């Protein structure tokens, strides 16, 4: 109680009414739910155990004492790099389609654990960490801003994707704010240090996320020009984030000339038809400061992808007779389709529905990691998984689809970089 009184005094003295309102609203919500704290603590204990699984790996047998460990195959909580058990119908209206030409892919696989990511930049600190499934993530620090690897002006049409884990555990303080900024660095180098103080100097689109609990996570989108705010949306609730604390969530952004769209998992958070009037060359991710220590909260990012162009799936598949995409992705060493891929599959399904006479062959390809035999078998299973999705979700008859897997035998890029490997992990569709 003393902590709350001190905080209120500070807020009143500084006159930060908006911040005070957020604080009071969160406190009121917590008080309203006080009667269920006992049950809530039990839930929090389970969630925290799942978080330990994601971030630190499974506990030893003597630590679990014979009890089922959260995050196992029998549980609903998915570890990092694994898709949560989301019914595919939940994504039936998901319409994000990744850009046709992959420009950047960074999963930090070539970065040293404990060091900062070689292709990113920051005005604070950060380190690459390894999860229990051997995937790597960049851990972000509070009061830090992080810029992506891009160094060139982006085209009018592009897509951007990344995964995040928000390891939140309340102790009564307000969580840090999380901000994504698409900006034009102008005369400044987009990968240099001077941009950190000039994010709004030219044109910028800023997405703020005010993280909370009990359905109090909020978001706004604003545009800037010459440091001045030129537009701002109403505040909206983004419950999908707090529903997925301690689990990987997928962010997807699509810019098509003046149109801006953003998804978190299957939820479309923003769809603004005429908000873009400039081109960008950089993404900045910022975490504000808070009363939490860095080891009490965790912000992790991985699987960053930047692509250009908007693929005309119908034309390429039905007219040109071939369509290849890196937008259909799978769990690591698995044939489980990640839900964020279902926008591309929907486009293919719609094209096939438009002409019932068309038959296709689906070919799976992998990168060169692993043995040739393993990759060939995996690519075949992945092609079969796409066929199954087209049949079950979009009603495409199975006898219209053939499948094959070629593993890493037909690369389209070198397997020596994350970008090259990502280009080789593709699915091709050929009209028969």
């Amino acid at each position: 109680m003393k902590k709350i009184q001190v905080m209120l005094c500070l807020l009143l003295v500084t006159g930060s009414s908006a911040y005070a309102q957020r604080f009071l609203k969160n406190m009121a919500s917590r008080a309203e739910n006080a009667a269920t704290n006992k049950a809530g603590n039990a839930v929090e204990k389970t969630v925290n155990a799942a978080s330990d699984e994601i971030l630190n790996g499974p506990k030893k047998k003597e630590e679990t004492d014979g009890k089922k460990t959260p995050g196992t195959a029998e549980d609903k909580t998915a570890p990092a790099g694994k898709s949560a058990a989301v019914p595919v119908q939940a994504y039936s209206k998901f319409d994000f389609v990744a850009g046709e030409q992959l420009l950047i892919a960074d999963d930090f696989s070539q970065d040293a654990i404990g060091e900062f990511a070689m292709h990113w930049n920051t005005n604070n600190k950060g380190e690459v960490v390894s999860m229990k499934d051997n995937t790597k993530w960049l851990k972000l620090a509070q009061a830090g801003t992080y810029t992506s690897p891009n160094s060139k002006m982006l085209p009018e049409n592009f897509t951007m994707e990344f995964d995040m884990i928000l390891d939140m555990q309340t102790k009564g303080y307000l969580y840090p704010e999380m901000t994504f900024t698409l900006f034009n660095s102008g005369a400044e180098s987009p990968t240099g240090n001077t941009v950190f103080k000039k994010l709004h100097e030219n044109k910028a689109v800023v997405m703020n996320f005010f993280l909370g609990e009990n359905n109090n996570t909020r978001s706004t989108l604003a545009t800037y020009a010459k440091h001045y705010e030129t537009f701002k949306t109403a505040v909206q609730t983004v419950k999908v984030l707090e529903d997925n604390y301690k689990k990987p969530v997928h962010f997807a952004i699509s810019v098509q000339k003046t149109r801006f769209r953003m998804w978190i998992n299957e939820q479309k958070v923003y769809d603004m038809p005429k908000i873009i009037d400039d081109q960008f060359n950089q993404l900045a991710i910022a975490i504000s400061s808070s009363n939490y220590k860095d080891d009490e909260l965790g912000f992790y990012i991985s699987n960053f992808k930047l692509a250009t162009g908007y693929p005309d799936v119908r034309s390429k598949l039905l007219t040109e007779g071939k369509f290849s995409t890196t937008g259909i992705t799978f769990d690591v060493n698995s044939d489980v389709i990640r839900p964020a891929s279902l926008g591309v599959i929907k486009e293919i399904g719609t094209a096939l529905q438009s002409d019932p006479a068309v038959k296709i062959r689906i070919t799976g390809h992998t990168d060169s990691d692993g043995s040739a035999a393993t990759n060939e078998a995996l690519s075949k299973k992945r092609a079969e998984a796409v066929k199954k999705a087209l049949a079950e979700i979009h009603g495409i008859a199975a006898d219209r689809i053939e499948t094959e897997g070629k593993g890493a035998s037909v690369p389209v890029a070198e397997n020596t970089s994350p970008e090259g490997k990502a280009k080789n992990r593709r699915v091709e569709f050929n009209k028969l």
Side-chain angles (χ1 to χ4, degrees):
M1 187 65 187
K2 185 176 181 181
K3 182 197 302 180
I4 296 174
Q5 291 172 340
V6 172
M7 180 69 77
L8 284 172
C9 290
L10 290 172
L11 290 170
L12 291 171
V13 169
T14 59
S16 180
S17 59
Y19 194 78
Q21 288 173 7
R22 284 182 54 226
F23 178 82
L24 290 171
K25 187 169 184 178
N26 279 348
M27 291 302 103
S29 177
R30 288 172 187 142
E32 188 180 63
N33 288 282
T36 60
N37 272 351
K38 185 174 181 180
N41 288 339
V43 173
E44 183 173 333
K45 184 177 180 181
T46 301
V47 173
N48 289 344
S51 176
D52 288 340
E53 277 283 287
I54 294 172
L55 303 176
N56 303 316
K59 292 183 178 180
K60 296 179 181 179
K61 185 177 182 180
E62 58 268 24
E63 293 177 308
T64 60
D65 194 27
K67 298 177 182 178
K68 187 177 77 171
T69 304
T72 59
E74 294 77 22
D75 230 353
K76 292 184 179 180
T77 304
K82 290 288 183 182
S83 300
V86 180
V88 292
Q89 291 303 322
Y91 280 73
S92 62
K93 296 182 179 180
F94 183 66
D95 54 353
F96 172 77
V97 178
E100 187 172 16
Q101 182 181 354
L102 185 64
L103 301 178
I104 296 174
D106 198 353
D107 58 5
F108 308 113
S109 58
Q110 296 186 329
D111 290 293
I113 295 173
E115 300 292 335
F116 191 77
M118 67 178 78
H119 299 302
W120 291 63
N121 196 16
T122 184
N123 60 359
N124 192 345
K125 61 182 179 180
E127 63 175 329
V128 174
V129 300
S130 179
M131 300 300 184
K132 69 172 186 177
D133 61 351
N134 295 321
T135 58
K136 291 183 178 180
W137 297 67
L138 176 61
K139 183 177 182 180
L140 315 180
Q142 295 181 68
T145 301
Y146 301 81
T147 53
S148 64
N150 188 56
S151 60
K152 297 179 180 180
M153 191 62 67
L154 296 173
E156 288 184 328
N157 299 324
F158 69 89
T159 60
M160 189 176 287
E161 302 173 76
F162 49 89
D163 294 328
M164 291 194 77
I165 297 174
L166 306 178
D167 184 18
M168 302 289 104
Q169 180 176 334
T170 182
K171 288 191 174 182
Y173 305 115
L174 290 176
Y175 287 145
E177 295 177 14
M178 181 172 66
T179 304
F180 303 138
T181 303
L182 281 171
F183 66 96
N184 185 334
S185 66
E188 308 294 334
S189 167
T191 57
N193 293 328
T194 56
V195 298
F196 293 113
K197 293 184 178 181
K198 300 182 178 182
L199 300 184
H200 303 158
E201 184 169 281
N202 299 298
K203 297 292 183 71
V205 175
V206 180
M207 297 139 277
N208 283 306
F209 292 91
F210 308 97
L211 304 176
E213 301 277 354
N214 303 315
N215 202 25
N216 279 318
T217 297
R218 303 286 190 262
S219 179
T220 61
L221 180 149
T223 59
Y224 285 81
K226 296 182 179 179
H227 293 291
Y228 289 97
E229 183 181 282
T230 55
F231 171 81
K232 189 173 184 179
T233 65
V235 178
Q236 67 165 311
T237 301
V238 190
K239 192 171 183 291
V240 64
L241 281 180
E242 60 185 73
D243 285 346
N244 288 281
Y245 284 162
K246 305 177 183 291
K247 296 184 288 186
V249 289
H250 188 74
F251 290 82
I253 293 171
S254 173
V255 172
Q256 291 176 269
K257 295 185 178 180
T258 64
R259 186 181 186 185
F260 175 90
R261 290 179 291 170
M262 182 180 194
W263 296 259
I264 301 177
N265 284 355
E266 80 281 8
Q267 180 180 330
K268 185 182 288 184
V269 182
Y270 292 107
D271 190 346
M272 317 293 292
K274 297 184 182 296
I275 201 172
I276 306 295
D277 61 358
D278 196 6
Q279 290 179 264
F280 306 112
N281 62 358
Q282 188 55 277
L283 169 73
I285 301 174
I287 310 297
S288 73
S289 59
S290 75
N291 287 329
Y292 289 94
K293 298 177 181 178
D294 278 338
D295 60 357
E296 292 177 327
L297 301 177
F299 297 84
Y300 304 84
I301 185 172
S302 191
N303 302 317
F304 179 86
K305 292 173 69 176
L306 175 64
T308 184
Y310 190 83
D312 185 346
V313 176
R314 176 183 170 83
S315 175
K316 287 185 176 296
L317 184 57
L318 301 186
T319 305
E320 298 177 24
K322 181 178 180 179
F323 173 64
S324 179
T325 179
T326 59
I328 299 177
T329 58
F330 304 83
D331 286 353
V332 178
N333 297 323
S334 168
D335 61 346
V336 176
I337 299 173
R338 289 180 174 171
S341 308
L342 295 179
V344 182
I345 292 176
K346 179 182 178 181
E347 292 284 308
I348 297 163
T350 301
L352 293 175
Q353 288 170 350
S354 69
D355 191 343
V358 171
K359 295 184 178 183
I360 62 169
R361 177 185 298 113
I362 302 175
T363 305
H365 299 268
T366 69
D367 60 33
S368 62
D369 292 348
S371 70
T374 299
N375 286 330
E376 185 175 342
L378 178 60
S379 62
K380 171 69 173 177
K381 289 181 179 179
R382 288 178 170 178
E384 287 287 347
V386 175
K387 174 181 177 177
K388 183 178 180 182
L390 287 169
E392 293 185 357
I393 302 174
H394 300 289
I396 307 302
D399 61 5
R400 294 177 60 190
I401 304 173
E402 296 179 5
T403 61
E404 66 178 355
K406 294 197 172 181
S409 63
V410 191
V412 293
E414 297 292 333
N415 280 292
T416 55
S417 68
E419 288 87 359
K421 289 181 179 181
K423 289 177 181 179
N424 288 331
R425 293 191 297 268
R426 68 196 189 277
V427 180
E428 292 183 347
F429 300 83
N430 286 275
K431 183 179 176 182
L432 299 176

PDB file of all heavy atoms in Angstrom, residues 45 48-49 52-53 56-65 69-70:
ATOM      1  N   LYS A  45       1.070 -19.536 -10.938  1.00  0.00           N
ATOM      2  CA  LYS A  45       2.139 -20.489 -10.653  1.00  0.00           C
ATOM      3  C   LYS A  45       2.336 -21.430 -11.832  1.00  0.00           C
ATOM      4  O   LYS A  45       3.459 -21.751 -12.226  1.00  0.00           O
ATOM      5  CB  LYS A  45       1.803 -21.266  -9.379  1.00  0.00           C
ATOM      6  CG  LYS A  45       2.901 -22.230  -8.946  1.00  0.00           C
ATOM      7  CD  LYS A  45       2.520 -22.903  -7.646  1.00  0.00           C
ATOM      8  CE  LYS A  45       3.629 -23.876  -7.190  1.00  0.00           C
ATOM      9  NZ  LYS A  45       3.256 -24.547  -5.926  1.00  0.00           N
ATOM     10  N   ASN A  48       3.888 -19.481 -14.740  1.00  0.00           N
ATOM     11  CA  ASN A  48       5.303 -19.225 -14.498  1.00  0.00           C
ATOM     12  C   ASN A  48       6.136 -20.470 -14.732  1.00  0.00           C
ATOM     13  O   ASN A  48       7.254 -20.404 -15.227  1.00  0.00           O
ATOM     14  CB  ASN A  48       5.514 -18.734 -13.061  1.00  0.00           C
ATOM     15  CG  ASN A  48       4.983 -17.325 -12.869  1.00  0.00           C
ATOM     16  OD1 ASN A  48       4.745 -16.625 -13.836  1.00  0.00           O
ATOM     17  ND2 ASN A  48       4.786 -16.925 -11.625  1.00  0.00           N
ATOM     18  N   ALA A  49       5.580 -21.619 -14.372  1.00  0.00           N
ATOM     19  CA  ALA A  49       6.298 -22.873 -14.628  1.00  0.00           C
ATOM     20  C   ALA A  49       6.453 -23.101 -16.124  1.00  0.00           C
ATOM     21  O   ALA A  49       7.492 -23.551 -16.602  1.00  0.00           O
ATOM     22  CB  ALA A  49       5.548 -24.053 -13.987  1.00  0.00           C
ATOM     23  N   ASP A  52       9.222 -20.974 -17.369  1.00  0.00           N
ATOM     24  CA  ASP A  52      10.532 -21.573 -17.100  1.00  0.00           C
ATOM     25  C   ASP A  52      10.868 -22.610 -18.151  1.00  0.00           C
ATOM     26  O   ASP A  52      12.018 -22.752 -18.573  1.00  0.00           O
ATOM     27  CB  ASP A  52      10.533 -22.223 -15.710  1.00  0.00           C
ATOM     28  CG  ASP A  52      10.530 -21.178 -14.596  1.00  0.00           C
ATOM     29  OD1 ASP A  52      10.911 -20.030 -14.882  1.00  0.00           O
ATOM     30  OD2 ASP A  52      10.137 -21.517 -13.473  1.00  0.00           O
ATOM     31  N   GLU A  53       9.847 -23.365 -18.607  1.00  0.00           N
ATOM     32  CA  GLU A  53      10.070 -24.355 -19.655  1.00  0.00           C
ATOM     33  C   GLU A  53      10.546 -23.682 -20.940  1.00  0.00           C
ATOM     34  O   GLU A  53      11.468 -24.139 -21.601  1.00  0.00           O
ATOM     35  CB  GLU A  53       8.753 -25.099 -19.949  1.00  0.00           C
ATOM     36  CG  GLU A  53       8.464 -26.234 -18.997  1.00  0.00           C
ATOM     37  CD  GLU A  53       9.318 -27.428 -19.343  1.00  0.00           C
ATOM     38  OE1 GLU A  53       9.052 -28.091 -20.352  1.00  0.00           O
ATOM     39  OE2 GLU A  53      10.271 -27.687 -18.608  1.00  0.00           O
ATOM     40  N   ASN A  56      14.098 -21.597 -19.930  1.00  0.00           N
ATOM     41  CA  ASN A  56      15.219 -22.268 -19.275  1.00  0.00           C
ATOM     42  C   ASN A  56      15.302 -23.767 -19.525  1.00  0.00           C
ATOM     43  O   ASN A  56      16.225 -24.421 -19.056  1.00  0.00           O
ATOM     44  CB  ASN A  56      15.139 -22.034 -17.754  1.00  0.00           C
ATOM     45  CG  ASN A  56      15.125 -20.566 -17.418  1.00  0.00           C
ATOM     46  OD1 ASN A  56      15.889 -19.807 -17.993  1.00  0.00           O
ATOM     47  ND2 ASN A  56      14.248 -20.152 -16.511  1.00  0.00           N
ATOM     48  N   GLY A  57      14.317 -24.320 -20.250  1.00  0.00           N
ATOM     49  CA  GLY A  57      14.329 -25.751 -20.484  1.00  0.00           C
ATOM     50  C   GLY A  57      13.604 -26.496 -19.379  1.00  0.00           C
ATOM     51  O   GLY A  57      13.244 -25.941 -18.337  1.00  0.00           O
ATOM     52  N   PRO A  58      13.330 -27.786 -19.573  1.00  0.00           N
ATOM     53  CA  PRO A  58      12.574 -28.563 -18.601  1.00  0.00           C
ATOM     54  C   PRO A  58      13.339 -28.776 -17.310  1.00  0.00           C
ATOM     55  O   PRO A  58      14.558 -28.814 -17.285  1.00  0.00           O
ATOM     56  CB  PRO A  58      12.349 -29.901 -19.342  1.00  0.00           C
ATOM     57  CG  PRO A  58      13.478 -29.975 -20.314  1.00  0.00           C
ATOM     58  CD  PRO A  58      13.755 -28.564 -20.732  1.00  0.00           C
ATOM     59  N   LYS A  59      12.568 -28.925 -16.222  1.00  0.00           N
ATOM     60  CA  LYS A  59      13.186 -29.206 -14.933  1.00  0.00           C
ATOM     61  C   LYS A  59      13.645 -30.652 -14.876  1.00  0.00           C
ATOM     62  O   LYS A  59      13.183 -31.511 -15.612  1.00  0.00           O
ATOM     63  CB  LYS A  59      12.176 -28.953 -13.808  1.00  0.00           C
ATOM     64  CG  LYS A  59      11.809 -27.483 -13.642  1.00  0.00           C
ATOM     65  CD  LYS A  59      10.863 -27.321 -12.476  1.00  0.00           C
ATOM     66  CE  LYS A  59      10.516 -25.853 -12.264  1.00  0.00           C
ATOM     67  NZ  LYS A  59       9.587 -25.674 -11.122  1.00  0.00           N
ATOM     68  N   LYS A  60      14.577 -30.897 -13.990  1.00  0.00           N
ATOM     69  CA  LYS A  60      15.044 -32.261 -13.807  1.00  0.00           C
ATOM     70  C   LYS A  60      13.951 -33.090 -13.141  1.00  0.00           C
ATOM     71  O   LYS A  60      13.053 -32.576 -12.491  1.00  0.00           O
ATOM     72  CB  LYS A  60      16.312 -32.259 -12.947  1.00  0.00           C
ATOM     73  CG  LYS A  60      17.491 -31.547 -13.606  1.00  0.00           C
ATOM     74  CD  LYS A  60      18.701 -31.559 -12.705  1.00  0.00           C
ATOM     75  CE  LYS A  60      19.870 -30.826 -13.359  1.00  0.00           C
ATOM     76  NZ  LYS A  60      21.063 -30.795 -12.473  1.00  0.00           N
ATOM     77  N   LYS A  61      14.083 -34.390 -13.247  1.00  0.00           N
ATOM     78  CA  LYS A  61      13.058 -35.288 -12.750  1.00  0.00           C
ATOM     79  C   LYS A  61      12.809 -35.090 -11.270  1.00  0.00           C
ATOM     80  O   LYS A  61      11.667 -35.070 -10.805  1.00  0.00           O
ATOM     81  CB  LYS A  61      13.474 -36.735 -13.034  1.00  0.00           C
ATOM     82  CG  LYS A  61      12.401 -37.757 -12.644  1.00  0.00           C
ATOM     83  CD  LYS A  61      12.840 -39.147 -13.028  1.00  0.00           C
ATOM     84  CE  LYS A  61      11.763 -40.169 -12.684  1.00  0.00           C
ATOM     85  NZ  LYS A  61      12.168 -41.531 -13.042  1.00  0.00           N
ATOM     86  N   GLU A  62      13.892 -34.902 -10.479  1.00  0.00           N
ATOM     87  CA  GLU A  62      13.710 -34.738  -9.044  1.00  0.00           C
ATOM     88  C   GLU A  62      13.027 -33.425  -8.695  1.00  0.00           C
ATOM     89  O   GLU A  62      12.394 -33.297  -7.653  1.00  0.00           O
ATOM     90  CB  GLU A  62      15.069 -34.825  -8.319  1.00  0.00           C
ATOM     91  CG  GLU A  62      16.102 -33.804  -8.793  1.00  0.00           C
ATOM     92  CD  GLU A  62      16.979 -34.340  -9.908  1.00  0.00           C
ATOM     93  OE1 GLU A  62      16.516 -35.270 -10.597  1.00  0.00           O
ATOM     94  OE2 GLU A  62      18.112 -33.865 -10.073  1.00  0.00           O
ATOM     95  N   GLU A  63      13.097 -32.422  -9.608  1.00  0.00           N
ATOM     96  CA  GLU A  63      12.459 -31.143  -9.352  1.00  0.00           C
ATOM     97  C   GLU A  63      10.962 -31.204  -9.602  1.00  0.00           C
ATOM     98  O   GLU A  63      10.182 -30.511  -8.962  1.00  0.00           O
ATOM     99  CB  GLU A  63      13.070 -30.053 -10.231  1.00  0.00           C
ATOM    100  CG  GLU A  63      14.512 -29.730  -9.890  1.00  0.00           C
ATOM    101  CD  GLU A  63      15.086 -28.698 -10.831  1.00  0.00           C
ATOM    102  OE1 GLU A  63      14.986 -28.902 -12.044  1.00  0.00           O
ATOM    103  OE2 GLU A  63      15.642 -27.698 -10.342  1.00  0.00           O
ATOM    104  N   THR A  64      10.514 -32.030 -10.569  1.00  0.00           N
ATOM    105  CA  THR A  64       9.096 -32.130 -10.878  1.00  0.00           C
ATOM    106  C   THR A  64       8.376 -33.078  -9.940  1.00  0.00           C
ATOM    107  O   THR A  64       7.158 -33.048  -9.834  1.00  0.00           O
ATOM    108  CB  THR A  64       8.909 -32.624 -12.324  1.00  0.00           C
ATOM    109  OG1 THR A  64       9.526 -33.909 -12.462  1.00  0.00           O
ATOM    110  CG2 THR A  64       9.548 -31.661 -13.310  1.00  0.00           C
ATOM    111  N   ASP A  65       9.105 -33.959  -9.291  1.00  0.00           N
ATOM    112  CA  ASP A  65       8.532 -34.861  -8.292  1.00  0.00           C
ATOM    113  C   ASP A  65       7.388 -35.685  -8.871  1.00  0.00           C
ATOM    114  O   ASP A  65       6.344 -35.880  -8.245  1.00  0.00           O
ATOM    115  CB  ASP A  65       8.045 -34.060  -7.082  1.00  0.00           C
ATOM    116  CG  ASP A  65       7.747 -34.965  -5.878  1.00  0.00           C
ATOM    117  OD1 ASP A  65       8.372 -36.053  -5.786  1.00  0.00           O
ATOM    118  OD2 ASP A  65       6.906 -34.591  -5.058  1.00  0.00           O
ATOM    119  N   THR A  69       5.012 -31.813 -16.388  1.00  0.00           N
ATOM    120  CA  THR A  69       5.651 -30.515 -16.583  1.00  0.00           C
ATOM    121  C   THR A  69       4.888 -29.700 -17.610  1.00  0.00           C
ATOM    122  O   THR A  69       4.649 -30.165 -18.716  1.00  0.00           O
ATOM    123  CB  THR A  69       7.092 -30.715 -17.078  1.00  0.00           C
ATOM    124  OG1 THR A  69       7.771 -31.538 -16.152  1.00  0.00           O
ATOM    125  CG2 THR A  69       7.800 -29.370 -17.206  1.00  0.00           C
ATOM    126  N   PRO A  70       4.454 -28.456 -17.272  1.00  0.00           N
ATOM    127  CA  PRO A  70       3.793 -27.609 -18.272  1.00  0.00           C
ATOM    128  C   PRO A  70       4.676 -27.411 -19.487  1.00  0.00           C
ATOM    129  O   PRO A  70       5.893 -27.322 -19.374  1.00  0.00           O
ATOM    130  CB  PRO A  70       3.580 -26.285 -17.520  1.00  0.00           C
ATOM    131  CG  PRO A  70       3.591 -26.671 -16.072  1.00  0.00           C
ATOM    132  CD  PRO A  70       4.564 -27.817 -15.978  1.00  0.00           C
TER     133      PRO A  70
END
